[in-house]
Amino acid sequence: MDAQIFADAVVDVNHQIPYGKVGVRGDALCLAGIGAALLAKSGKVYKGCNVENAAYSPTNCAERTAFFKAVSEGEREFVKIAIVGGVEGTEPEELCAPCGVCRQVMNEFCDKDQFEIILMDGPDNVKVLKLSELLPYGFSLN
């Protein structure tokens, strides 16, 4: 997989996903918008955004949206995911890390010692972690 293709997808997610708009999306309050670009072992990149819902629990994070799109199209092996986002008009105070549910979904499909999670709030603030660093004791049926 050409690194530039993945980088372009990250930039695309960062600029085209309508994240950061404080207000209503559908009937749901969206305080921060998040975008994700997931690289499958096949070389295909799957993009996702938050899908908000007024009832909160049906809300789907950008990371899971990207994973579920990929899995629904037959992908089962993944290399890395980049996550970007925040609240529009504010300076990020910290990088946008995946929630516990998203970490567990990643744990189901990825080698936790190899899968990379790239956290970023712009081109100058990037941190790369392995899934094992964010979820050292993930639940597994194995």
Side-chain angles (χ1 to χ4, degrees), residues 55-95:
Y56 293 110
S57 63
T59 294
N60 202 58
C61 297
E63 301 92 313
R64 283 181 282 140
T65 298
F67 265 95
F68 296 159
K69 284 171 61 176
V71 170
S72 73
E73 293 185 25
E75 300 283 2
R76 296 296 183 273
E77 296 181 76
F78 303 98
V79 178
K80 58 186 164 185
I81 190 168
I83 306 162
V84 296
V87 178
E88 184 178 47
T90 65
E91 286 296 320
E93 295 180 14
E94 58 188 51
L95 293 167

PDB file of all heavy atoms in Angstrom, residues 55-95:
ATOM      1  N   ALA A  55     -30.592   9.399  21.117  1.00  0.00           N
ATOM      2  CA  ALA A  55     -30.652   8.453  22.230  1.00  0.00           C
ATOM      3  C   ALA A  55     -29.260   8.057  22.725  1.00  0.00           C
ATOM      4  O   ALA A  55     -29.147   7.269  23.659  1.00  0.00           O
ATOM      5  CB  ALA A  55     -31.434   7.209  21.820  1.00  0.00           C
ATOM      6  N   TYR A  56     -28.218   8.580  22.133  1.00  0.00           N
ATOM      7  CA  TYR A  56     -26.812   8.362  22.476  1.00  0.00           C
ATOM      8  C   TYR A  56     -26.332   6.927  22.270  1.00  0.00           C
ATOM      9  O   TYR A  56     -25.376   6.709  21.549  1.00  0.00           O
ATOM     10  CB  TYR A  56     -26.469   8.835  23.894  1.00  0.00           C
ATOM     11  CG  TYR A  56     -26.566  10.319  24.028  1.00  0.00           C
ATOM     12  CD1 TYR A  56     -27.582  10.899  24.769  1.00  0.00           C
ATOM     13  CD2 TYR A  56     -25.661  11.157  23.381  1.00  0.00           C
ATOM     14  CE1 TYR A  56     -27.684  12.281  24.875  1.00  0.00           C
ATOM     15  CE2 TYR A  56     -25.763  12.531  23.479  1.00  0.00           C
ATOM     16  CZ  TYR A  56     -26.774  13.080  24.231  1.00  0.00           C
ATOM     17  OH  TYR A  56     -26.874  14.432  24.334  1.00  0.00           O
ATOM     18  N   SER A  57     -26.931   5.916  22.888  1.00  0.00           N
ATOM     19  CA  SER A  57     -26.378   4.562  22.751  1.00  0.00           C
ATOM     20  C   SER A  57     -26.409   4.047  21.311  1.00  0.00           C
ATOM     21  O   SER A  57     -25.526   3.268  20.949  1.00  0.00           O
ATOM     22  CB  SER A  57     -27.048   3.580  23.714  1.00  0.00           C
ATOM     23  OG  SER A  57     -28.414   3.456  23.427  1.00  0.00           O
ATOM     24  N   PRO A  58     -27.343   4.462  20.446  1.00  0.00           N
ATOM     25  CA  PRO A  58     -27.259   4.033  19.046  1.00  0.00           C
ATOM     26  C   PRO A  58     -26.195   4.780  18.236  1.00  0.00           C
ATOM     27  O   PRO A  58     -25.944   4.449  17.085  1.00  0.00           O
ATOM     28  CB  PRO A  58     -28.641   4.339  18.469  1.00  0.00           C
ATOM     29  CG  PRO A  58     -29.535   4.556  19.618  1.00  0.00           C
ATOM     30  CD  PRO A  58     -28.658   5.039  20.737  1.00  0.00           C
ATOM     31  N   THR A  59     -25.569   5.788  18.828  1.00  0.00           N
ATOM     32  CA  THR A  59     -24.521   6.520  18.138  1.00  0.00           C
ATOM     33  C   THR A  59     -23.395   5.567  17.768  1.00  0.00           C
ATOM     34  O   THR A  59     -23.057   4.658  18.524  1.00  0.00           O
ATOM     35  CB  THR A  59     -23.988   7.650  19.046  1.00  0.00           C
ATOM     36  OG1 THR A  59     -25.035   8.594  19.233  1.00  0.00           O
ATOM     37  CG2 THR A  59     -22.785   8.335  18.437  1.00  0.00           C
ATOM     38  N   ASN A  60     -22.828   5.771  16.590  1.00  0.00           N
ATOM     39  CA  ASN A  60     -21.719   4.939  16.147  1.00  0.00           C
ATOM     40  C   ASN A  60     -20.502   5.820  15.903  1.00  0.00           C
ATOM     41  O   ASN A  60     -20.575   6.801  15.176  1.00  0.00           O
ATOM     42  CB  ASN A  60     -22.098   4.190  14.867  1.00  0.00           C
ATOM     43  CG  ASN A  60     -21.259   2.968  14.664  1.00  0.00           C
ATOM     44  OD1 ASN A  60     -21.238   2.093  15.514  1.00  0.00           O
ATOM     45  ND2 ASN A  60     -20.577   2.905  13.552  1.00  0.00           N
ATOM     46  N   CYS A  61     -19.399   5.456  16.514  1.00  0.00           N
ATOM     47  CA  CYS A  61     -18.162   6.227  16.365  1.00  0.00           C
ATOM     48  C   CYS A  61     -17.574   6.055  14.967  1.00  0.00           C
ATOM     49  O   CYS A  61     -17.822   5.063  14.292  1.00  0.00           O
ATOM     50  CB  CYS A  61     -17.136   5.768  17.392  1.00  0.00           C
ATOM     51  SG  CYS A  61     -17.636   6.029  19.101  1.00  0.00           S
ATOM     52  N   ALA A  62     -16.742   7.000  14.571  1.00  0.00           N
ATOM     53  CA  ALA A  62     -16.102   6.974  13.257  1.00  0.00           C
ATOM     54  C   ALA A  62     -15.271   5.704  13.062  1.00  0.00           C
ATOM     55  O   ALA A  62     -15.275   5.110  11.978  1.00  0.00           O
ATOM     56  CB  ALA A  62     -15.222   8.207  13.094  1.00  0.00           C
ATOM     57  N   GLU A  63     -14.578   5.287  14.105  1.00  0.00           N
ATOM     58  CA  GLU A  63     -13.729   4.114  14.005  1.00  0.00           C
ATOM     59  C   GLU A  63     -14.561   2.871  13.701  1.00  0.00           C
ATOM     60  O   GLU A  63     -14.211   2.076  12.828  1.00  0.00           O
ATOM     61  CB  GLU A  63     -12.949   3.888  15.313  1.00  0.00           C
ATOM     62  CG  GLU A  63     -12.053   5.043  15.707  1.00  0.00           C
ATOM     63  CD  GLU A  63     -12.734   6.067  16.629  1.00  0.00           C
ATOM     64  OE1 GLU A  63     -13.876   6.488  16.337  1.00  0.00           O
ATOM     65  OE2 GLU A  63     -12.110   6.442  17.630  1.00  0.00           O
ATOM     66  N   ARG A  64     -15.655   2.697  14.420  1.00  0.00           N
ATOM     67  CA  ARG A  64     -16.514   1.538  14.177  1.00  0.00           C
ATOM     68  C   ARG A  64     -17.216   1.641  12.833  1.00  0.00           C
ATOM     69  O   ARG A  64     -17.400   0.625  12.161  1.00  0.00           O
ATOM     70  CB  ARG A  64     -17.517   1.360  15.310  1.00  0.00           C
ATOM     71  CG  ARG A  64     -16.856   0.756  16.537  1.00  0.00           C
ATOM     72  CD  ARG A  64     -17.832   0.535  17.673  1.00  0.00           C
ATOM     73  NE  ARG A  64     -18.081   1.824  18.314  1.00  0.00           N
ATOM     74  CZ  ARG A  64     -19.262   2.226  18.751  1.00  0.00           C
ATOM     75  NH1 ARG A  64     -20.325   1.462  18.631  1.00  0.00           N
ATOM     76  NH2 ARG A  64     -19.380   3.404  19.335  1.00  0.00           N
ATOM     77  N   THR A  65     -17.574   2.846  12.414  1.00  0.00           N
ATOM     78  CA  THR A  65     -18.178   3.000  11.095  1.00  0.00           C
ATOM     79  C   THR A  65     -17.211   2.487  10.027  1.00  0.00           C
ATOM     80  O   THR A  65     -17.599   1.723   9.137  1.00  0.00           O
ATOM     81  CB  THR A  65     -18.540   4.469  10.818  1.00  0.00           C
ATOM     82  OG1 THR A  65     -19.509   4.900  11.786  1.00  0.00           O
ATOM     83  CG2 THR A  65     -19.116   4.653   9.429  1.00  0.00           C
ATOM     84  N   ALA A  66     -15.939   2.891  10.118  1.00  0.00           N
ATOM     85  CA  ALA A  66     -14.940   2.433   9.147  1.00  0.00           C
ATOM     86  C   ALA A  66     -14.762   0.914   9.219  1.00  0.00           C
ATOM     87  O   ALA A  66     -14.735   0.234   8.181  1.00  0.00           O
ATOM     88  CB  ALA A  66     -13.613   3.150   9.391  1.00  0.00           C
ATOM     89  N   PHE A  67     -14.664   0.356  10.426  1.00  0.00           N
ATOM     90  CA  PHE A  67     -14.509  -1.094  10.567  1.00  0.00           C
ATOM     91  C   PHE A  67     -15.710  -1.846  10.022  1.00  0.00           C
ATOM     92  O   PHE A  67     -15.557  -2.837   9.299  1.00  0.00           O
ATOM     93  CB  PHE A  67     -14.289  -1.480  12.048  1.00  0.00           C
ATOM     94  CG  PHE A  67     -12.850  -1.612  12.417  1.00  0.00           C
ATOM     95  CD1 PHE A  67     -12.168  -0.540  12.976  1.00  0.00           C
ATOM     96  CD2 PHE A  67     -12.159  -2.793  12.213  1.00  0.00           C
ATOM     97  CE1 PHE A  67     -10.833  -0.648  13.314  1.00  0.00           C
ATOM     98  CE2 PHE A  67     -10.822  -2.910  12.548  1.00  0.00           C
ATOM     99  CZ  PHE A  67     -10.156  -1.835  13.105  1.00  0.00           C
ATOM    100  N   PHE A  68     -16.914  -1.390  10.350  1.00  0.00           N
ATOM    101  CA  PHE A  68     -18.107  -2.114   9.924  1.00  0.00           C
ATOM    102  C   PHE A  68     -18.294  -2.043   8.411  1.00  0.00           C
ATOM    103  O   PHE A  68     -18.754  -3.004   7.790  1.00  0.00           O
ATOM    104  CB  PHE A  68     -19.339  -1.608  10.663  1.00  0.00           C
ATOM    105  CG  PHE A  68     -19.281  -1.860  12.164  1.00  0.00           C
ATOM    106  CD1 PHE A  68     -20.070  -1.121  13.022  1.00  0.00           C
ATOM    107  CD2 PHE A  68     -18.438  -2.809  12.717  1.00  0.00           C
ATOM    108  CE1 PHE A  68     -20.030  -1.334  14.401  1.00  0.00           C
ATOM    109  CE2 PHE A  68     -18.385  -3.035  14.098  1.00  0.00           C
ATOM    110  CZ  PHE A  68     -19.188  -2.287  14.928  1.00  0.00           C
ATOM    111  N   LYS A  69     -17.919  -0.907   7.804  1.00  0.00           N
ATOM    112  CA  LYS A  69     -17.948  -0.826   6.342  1.00  0.00           C
ATOM    113  C   LYS A  69     -16.992  -1.858   5.752  1.00  0.00           C
ATOM    114  O   LYS A  69     -17.345  -2.584   4.810  1.00  0.00           O
ATOM    115  CB  LYS A  69     -17.546   0.582   5.874  1.00  0.00           C
ATOM    116  CG  LYS A  69     -18.622   1.622   6.042  1.00  0.00           C
ATOM    117  CD  LYS A  69     -18.142   3.031   5.792  1.00  0.00           C
ATOM    118  CE  LYS A  69     -17.629   3.291   4.410  1.00  0.00           C
ATOM    119  NZ  LYS A  69     -17.254   4.720   4.211  1.00  0.00           N
ATOM    120  N   ALA A  70     -15.788  -1.918   6.295  1.00  0.00           N
ATOM    121  CA  ALA A  70     -14.781  -2.844   5.778  1.00  0.00           C
ATOM    122  C   ALA A  70     -15.219  -4.301   5.960  1.00  0.00           C
ATOM    123  O   ALA A  70     -15.139  -5.105   5.022  1.00  0.00           O
ATOM    124  CB  ALA A  70     -13.444  -2.605   6.479  1.00  0.00           C
ATOM    125  N   VAL A  71     -15.682  -4.639   7.148  1.00  0.00           N
ATOM    126  CA  VAL A  71     -16.099  -6.013   7.429  1.00  0.00           C
ATOM    127  C   VAL A  71     -17.294  -6.394   6.555  1.00  0.00           C
ATOM    128  O   VAL A  71     -17.353  -7.509   6.024  1.00  0.00           O
ATOM    129  CB  VAL A  71     -16.404  -6.189   8.932  1.00  0.00           C
ATOM    130  CG1 VAL A  71     -17.076  -7.528   9.206  1.00  0.00           C
ATOM    131  CG2 VAL A  71     -15.121  -6.055   9.744  1.00  0.00           C
ATOM    132  N   SER A  72     -18.213  -5.461   6.350  1.00  0.00           N
ATOM    133  CA  SER A  72     -19.388  -5.764   5.522  1.00  0.00           C
ATOM    134  C   SER A  72     -19.011  -6.005   4.063  1.00  0.00           C
ATOM    135  O   SER A  72     -19.756  -6.630   3.323  1.00  0.00           O
ATOM    136  CB  SER A  72     -20.429  -4.642   5.614  1.00  0.00           C
ATOM    137  OG  SER A  72     -20.004  -3.495   4.895  1.00  0.00           O
ATOM    138  N   GLU A  73     -17.817  -5.537   3.669  1.00  0.00           N
ATOM    139  CA  GLU A  73     -17.334  -5.757   2.305  1.00  0.00           C
ATOM    140  C   GLU A  73     -16.328  -6.900   2.231  1.00  0.00           C
ATOM    141  O   GLU A  73     -15.652  -7.076   1.225  1.00  0.00           O
ATOM    142  CB  GLU A  73     -16.745  -4.458   1.756  1.00  0.00           C
ATOM    143  CG  GLU A  73     -17.822  -3.398   1.557  1.00  0.00           C
ATOM    144  CD  GLU A  73     -17.310  -2.137   0.904  1.00  0.00           C
ATOM    145  OE1 GLU A  73     -16.295  -2.190   0.177  1.00  0.00           O
ATOM    146  OE2 GLU A  73     -17.937  -1.087   1.122  1.00  0.00           O
ATOM    147  N   GLY A  74     -16.211  -7.669   3.319  1.00  0.00           N
ATOM    148  CA  GLY A  74     -15.399  -8.882   3.295  1.00  0.00           C
ATOM    149  C   GLY A  74     -14.003  -8.773   3.878  1.00  0.00           C
ATOM    150  O   GLY A  74     -13.283  -9.770   3.941  1.00  0.00           O
ATOM    151  N   GLU A  75     -13.596  -7.607   4.312  1.00  0.00           N
ATOM    152  CA  GLU A  75     -12.260  -7.453   4.897  1.00  0.00           C
ATOM    153  C   GLU A  75     -12.218  -8.085   6.285  1.00  0.00           C
ATOM    154  O   GLU A  75     -13.190  -7.996   7.038  1.00  0.00           O
ATOM    155  CB  GLU A  75     -11.879  -5.977   5.016  1.00  0.00           C
ATOM    156  CG  GLU A  75     -11.847  -5.228   3.710  1.00  0.00           C
ATOM    157  CD  GLU A  75     -10.624  -5.497   2.851  1.00  0.00           C
ATOM    158  OE1 GLU A  75      -9.761  -6.320   3.237  1.00  0.00           O
ATOM    159  OE2 GLU A  75     -10.542  -4.881   1.774  1.00  0.00           O
ATOM    160  N   ARG A  76     -11.098  -8.695   6.613  1.00  0.00           N
ATOM    161  CA  ARG A  76     -10.927  -9.280   7.947  1.00  0.00           C
ATOM    162  C   ARG A  76      -9.553  -8.987   8.551  1.00  0.00           C
ATOM    163  O   ARG A  76      -9.310  -9.311   9.710  1.00  0.00           O
ATOM    164  CB  ARG A  76     -11.131 -10.793   7.901  1.00  0.00           C
ATOM    165  CG  ARG A  76     -12.534 -11.236   7.511  1.00  0.00           C
ATOM    166  CD  ARG A  76     -13.565 -10.804   8.542  1.00  0.00           C
ATOM    167  NE  ARG A  76     -14.893 -11.286   8.225  1.00  0.00           N
ATOM    168  CZ  ARG A  76     -15.781 -10.671   7.450  1.00  0.00           C
ATOM    169  NH1 ARG A  76     -15.474  -9.526   6.869  1.00  0.00           N
ATOM    170  NH2 ARG A  76     -16.969 -11.177   7.235  1.00  0.00           N
ATOM    171  N   GLU A  77      -8.647  -8.384   7.768  1.00  0.00           N
ATOM    172  CA  GLU A  77      -7.299  -8.108   8.265  1.00  0.00           C
ATOM    173  C   GLU A  77      -6.986  -6.632   8.050  1.00  0.00           C
ATOM    174  O   GLU A  77      -7.216  -6.099   6.961  1.00  0.00           O
ATOM    175  CB  GLU A  77      -6.272  -8.975   7.544  1.00  0.00           C
ATOM    176  CG  GLU A  77      -6.473 -10.460   7.813  1.00  0.00           C
ATOM    177  CD  GLU A  77      -5.427 -11.295   7.119  1.00  0.00           C
ATOM    178  OE1 GLU A  77      -4.275 -11.310   7.624  1.00  0.00           O
ATOM    179  OE2 GLU A  77      -5.741 -11.906   6.090  1.00  0.00           O
ATOM    180  N   PHE A  78      -6.432  -6.005   9.092  1.00  0.00           N
ATOM    181  CA  PHE A  78      -6.226  -4.559   9.065  1.00  0.00           C
ATOM    182  C   PHE A  78      -4.824  -4.198   9.533  1.00  0.00           C
ATOM    183  O   PHE A  78      -4.237  -4.885  10.363  1.00  0.00           O
ATOM    184  CB  PHE A  78      -7.286  -3.871   9.928  1.00  0.00           C
ATOM    185  CG  PHE A  78      -8.678  -4.229   9.479  1.00  0.00           C
ATOM    186  CD1 PHE A  78      -9.394  -5.229  10.125  1.00  0.00           C
ATOM    187  CD2 PHE A  78      -9.253  -3.594   8.398  1.00  0.00           C
ATOM    188  CE1 PHE A  78     -10.667  -5.584   9.697  1.00  0.00           C
ATOM    189  CE2 PHE A  78     -10.520  -3.937   7.953  1.00  0.00           C
ATOM    190  CZ  PHE A  78     -11.229  -4.941   8.606  1.00  0.00           C
ATOM    191  N   VAL A  79      -4.319  -3.066   9.006  1.00  0.00           N
ATOM    192  CA  VAL A  79      -2.956  -2.627   9.268  1.00  0.00           C
ATOM    193  C   VAL A  79      -2.924  -1.468  10.253  1.00  0.00           C
ATOM    194  O   VAL A  79      -2.167  -1.482  11.220  1.00  0.00           O
ATOM    195  CB  VAL A  79      -2.264  -2.213   7.950  1.00  0.00           C
ATOM    196  CG1 VAL A  79      -0.859  -1.695   8.212  1.00  0.00           C
ATOM    197  CG2 VAL A  79      -2.266  -3.361   6.963  1.00  0.00           C
ATOM    198  N   LYS A  80      -3.747  -0.432   9.986  1.00  0.00           N
ATOM    199  CA  LYS A  80      -3.737   0.751  10.838  1.00  0.00           C
ATOM    200  C   LYS A  80      -4.988   1.575  10.610  1.00  0.00           C
ATOM    201  O   LYS A  80      -5.696   1.410   9.631  1.00  0.00           O
ATOM    202  CB  LYS A  80      -2.492   1.604  10.579  1.00  0.00           C
ATOM    203  CG  LYS A  80      -2.325   2.081   9.150  1.00  0.00           C
ATOM    204  CD  LYS A  80      -0.979   2.779   8.992  1.00  0.00           C
ATOM    205  CE  LYS A  80      -0.581   2.922   7.546  1.00  0.00           C
ATOM    206  NZ  LYS A  80       0.760   3.492   7.397  1.00  0.00           N
ATOM    207  N   ILE A  81      -5.213   2.486  11.565  1.00  0.00           N
ATOM    208  CA  ILE A  81      -6.325   3.421  11.476  1.00  0.00           C
ATOM    209  C   ILE A  81      -5.823   4.791  11.933  1.00  0.00           C
ATOM    210  O   ILE A  81      -5.040   4.890  12.874  1.00  0.00           O
ATOM    211  CB  ILE A  81      -7.540   2.971  12.325  1.00  0.00           C
ATOM    212  CG1 ILE A  81      -8.771   3.830  12.021  1.00  0.00           C
ATOM    213  CG2 ILE A  81      -7.212   2.959  13.808  1.00  0.00           C
ATOM    214  CD1 ILE A  81     -10.072   3.258  12.590  1.00  0.00           C
ATOM    215  N   ALA A  82      -6.256   5.828  11.224  1.00  0.00           N
ATOM    216  CA  ALA A  82      -5.958   7.204  11.626  1.00  0.00           C
ATOM    217  C   ALA A  82      -7.254   7.831  12.100  1.00  0.00           C
ATOM    218  O   ALA A  82      -8.311   7.658  11.481  1.00  0.00           O
ATOM    219  CB  ALA A  82      -5.386   7.995  10.461  1.00  0.00           C
ATOM    220  N   ILE A  83      -7.187   8.551  13.201  1.00  0.00           N
ATOM    221  CA  ILE A  83      -8.373   9.165  13.808  1.00  0.00           C
ATOM    222  C   ILE A  83      -8.114  10.653  13.967  1.00  0.00           C
ATOM    223  O   ILE A  83      -7.107  11.055  14.548  1.00  0.00           O
ATOM    224  CB  ILE A  83      -8.681   8.525  15.176  1.00  0.00           C
ATOM    225  CG1 ILE A  83      -8.797   7.002  15.037  1.00  0.00           C
ATOM    226  CG2 ILE A  83      -9.944   9.127  15.783  1.00  0.00           C
ATOM    227  CD1 ILE A  83      -8.660   6.249  16.324  1.00  0.00           C
ATOM    228  N   VAL A  84      -9.023  11.461  13.436  1.00  0.00           N
ATOM    229  CA  VAL A  84      -8.898  12.920  13.517  1.00  0.00           C
ATOM    230  C   VAL A  84     -10.230  13.500  13.977  1.00  0.00           C
ATOM    231  O   VAL A  84     -11.278  12.909  13.776  1.00  0.00           O
ATOM    232  CB  VAL A  84      -8.498  13.543  12.158  1.00  0.00           C
ATOM    233  CG1 VAL A  84      -7.127  13.073  11.731  1.00  0.00           C
ATOM    234  CG2 VAL A  84      -9.530  13.239  11.090  1.00  0.00           C
ATOM    235  N   GLY A  85     -10.172  14.670  14.599  1.00  0.00           N
ATOM    236  CA  GLY A  85     -11.416  15.328  14.948  1.00  0.00           C
ATOM    237  C   GLY A  85     -11.303  16.253  16.128  1.00  0.00           C
ATOM    238  O   GLY A  85     -10.240  16.425  16.703  1.00  0.00           O
ATOM    239  N   GLY A  86     -12.424  16.856  16.441  1.00  0.00           N
ATOM    240  CA  GLY A  86     -12.470  17.789  17.545  1.00  0.00           C
ATOM    241  C   GLY A  86     -13.638  18.740  17.386  1.00  0.00           C
ATOM    242  O   GLY A  86     -14.462  18.587  16.497  1.00  0.00           O
ATOM    243  N   VAL A  87     -13.704  19.708  18.238  1.00  0.00           N
ATOM    244  CA  VAL A  87     -14.783  20.686  18.222  1.00  0.00           C
ATOM    245  C   VAL A  87     -14.321  21.896  17.415  1.00  0.00           C
ATOM    246  O   VAL A  87     -13.260  22.466  17.689  1.00  0.00           O
ATOM    247  CB  VAL A  87     -15.168  21.098  19.659  1.00  0.00           C
ATOM    248  CG1 VAL A  87     -16.255  22.157  19.633  1.00  0.00           C
ATOM    249  CG2 VAL A  87     -15.632  19.879  20.446  1.00  0.00           C
ATOM    250  N   GLU A  88     -15.109  22.270  16.425  1.00  0.00           N
ATOM    251  CA  GLU A  88     -14.768  23.390  15.565  1.00  0.00           C
ATOM    252  C   GLU A  88     -14.593  24.671  16.370  1.00  0.00           C
ATOM    253  O   GLU A  88     -15.359  24.959  17.285  1.00  0.00           O
ATOM    254  CB  GLU A  88     -15.865  23.597  14.520  1.00  0.00           C
ATOM    255  CG  GLU A  88     -15.543  24.697  13.521  1.00  0.00           C
ATOM    256  CD  GLU A  88     -16.623  24.849  12.477  1.00  0.00           C
ATOM    257  OE1 GLU A  88     -17.811  24.896  12.841  1.00  0.00           O
ATOM    258  OE2 GLU A  88     -16.273  24.935  11.309  1.00  0.00           O
ATOM    259  N   GLY A  89     -13.563  25.417  16.018  1.00  0.00           N
ATOM    260  CA  GLY A  89     -13.341  26.706  16.650  1.00  0.00           C
ATOM    261  C   GLY A  89     -12.585  26.647  17.957  1.00  0.00           C
ATOM    262  O   GLY A  89     -12.409  27.666  18.615  1.00  0.00           O
ATOM    263  N   THR A  90     -12.146  25.463  18.356  1.00  0.00           N
ATOM    264  CA  THR A  90     -11.381  25.350  19.598  1.00  0.00           C
ATOM    265  C   THR A  90     -10.025  24.724  19.296  1.00  0.00           C
ATOM    266  O   THR A  90      -9.888  23.945  18.368  1.00  0.00           O
ATOM    267  CB  THR A  90     -12.099  24.465  20.642  1.00  0.00           C
ATOM    268  OG1 THR A  90     -12.166  23.123  20.149  1.00  0.00           O
ATOM    269  CG2 THR A  90     -13.492  24.975  20.937  1.00  0.00           C
ATOM    270  N   GLU A  91      -9.050  25.077  20.079  1.00  0.00           N
ATOM    271  CA  GLU A  91      -7.746  24.445  19.977  1.00  0.00           C
ATOM    272  C   GLU A  91      -7.810  23.094  20.700  1.00  0.00           C
ATOM    273  O   GLU A  91      -8.306  23.019  21.824  1.00  0.00           O
ATOM    274  CB  GLU A  91      -6.671  25.319  20.629  1.00  0.00           C
ATOM    275  CG  GLU A  91      -6.314  26.537  19.818  1.00  0.00           C
ATOM    276  CD  GLU A  91      -5.682  26.181  18.480  1.00  0.00           C
ATOM    277  OE1 GLU A  91      -4.864  25.245  18.423  1.00  0.00           O
ATOM    278  OE2 GLU A  91      -6.044  26.841  17.486  1.00  0.00           O
ATOM    279  N   PRO A  92      -7.348  22.026  20.055  1.00  0.00           N
ATOM    280  CA  PRO A  92      -7.375  20.719  20.719  1.00  0.00           C
ATOM    281  C   PRO A  92      -6.542  20.735  21.991  1.00  0.00           C
ATOM    282  O   PRO A  92      -5.444  21.282  22.005  1.00  0.00           O
ATOM    283  CB  PRO A  92      -6.761  19.779  19.682  1.00  0.00           C
ATOM    284  CG  PRO A  92      -6.802  20.517  18.398  1.00  0.00           C
ATOM    285  CD  PRO A  92      -6.785  21.970  18.726  1.00  0.00           C
ATOM    286  N   GLU A  93      -7.089  20.159  23.035  1.00  0.00           N
ATOM    287  CA  GLU A  93      -6.362  20.047  24.295  1.00  0.00           C
ATOM    288  C   GLU A  93      -5.680  18.693  24.407  1.00  0.00           C
ATOM    289  O   GLU A  93      -4.761  18.512  25.186  1.00  0.00           O
ATOM    290  CB  GLU A  93      -7.306  20.285  25.469  1.00  0.00           C
ATOM    291  CG  GLU A  93      -7.841  21.706  25.492  1.00  0.00           C
ATOM    292  CD  GLU A  93      -8.789  21.948  26.654  1.00  0.00           C
ATOM    293  OE1 GLU A  93      -8.840  21.116  27.583  1.00  0.00           O
ATOM    294  OE2 GLU A  93      -9.493  22.969  26.621  1.00  0.00           O
ATOM    295  N   GLU A  94      -6.173  17.735  23.649  1.00  0.00           N
ATOM    296  CA  GLU A  94      -5.576  16.411  23.637  1.00  0.00           C
ATOM    297  C   GLU A  94      -5.964  15.723  22.337  1.00  0.00           C
ATOM    298  O   GLU A  94      -6.899  16.137  21.662  1.00  0.00           O
ATOM    299  CB  GLU A  94      -6.020  15.588  24.843  1.00  0.00           C
ATOM    300  CG  GLU A  94      -7.518  15.417  24.952  1.00  0.00           C
ATOM    301  CD  GLU A  94      -7.926  14.759  26.250  1.00  0.00           C
ATOM    302  OE1 GLU A  94      -7.497  15.226  27.310  1.00  0.00           O
ATOM    303  OE2 GLU A  94      -8.672  13.775  26.178  1.00  0.00           O
ATOM    304  N   LEU A  95      -5.242  14.683  21.988  1.00  0.00           N
ATOM    305  CA  LEU A  95      -5.547  13.927  20.788  1.00  0.00           C
ATOM    306  C   LEU A  95      -6.830  13.127  20.989  1.00  0.00           C
ATOM    307  O   LEU A  95      -7.190  12.781  22.117  1.00  0.00           O
ATOM    308  CB  LEU A  95      -4.383  12.993  20.459  1.00  0.00           C
ATOM    309  CG  LEU A  95      -3.097  13.703  20.049  1.00  0.00           C
ATOM    310  CD1 LEU A  95      -1.939  12.729  20.052  1.00  0.00           C
ATOM    311  CD2 LEU A  95      -3.256  14.366  18.703  1.00  0.00           C
TER     312      LEU A  95
END
